[in-house]
Amino acid sequence: MNIQAEKIELAKLLLNTNNPRIIQSIRKIFKKEKSSDFLDDLNSDEIAEIKKASLEIKEGKITDYETFMAKHR
């Protein structure tokens, strides 16, 4: 089935339902799809920190969890 036919079929199903839970579920799906990537909500300092951390990981500058926690107990 092509995308246009699929959309028409879904529209028919939506128009024929009286179940508010189905309508709410569909609305949630669309809201989730429209929500932006979390990076869009970060400021430039936060993005810079993430990039710096990513670079450190690539360079092998990491500490495993147990070693980190041992220093802070």
Side-chain angles (χ1 to χ4, degrees), residues 4-47:
Q4 291 302 329
E6 190 71 25
K7 288 167 40 176
I8 291 169
E9 183 62 30
L10 288 171
K12 287 178 185 177
L13 291 170
L14 180 59
L15 289 170
N16 289 326
T17 188
N18 290 319
N19 186 334
R21 291 186 325 180
I22 292 173
I23 295 169
Q24 289 171 352
S25 295
I26 293 169
R27 184 178 300 280
K28 285 180 186 178
I29 291 168
F30 279 107
K31 282 184 179 180
K32 184 177 179 184
E33 284 295 314
K34 287 183 180 181
S35 67
S36 63
D37 187 354
F38 80 95
L39 287 174
D40 295 337
D41 297 329
L42 300 177
N43 65 42
S44 59
D45 291 335
E46 293 166 327
I47 293 171

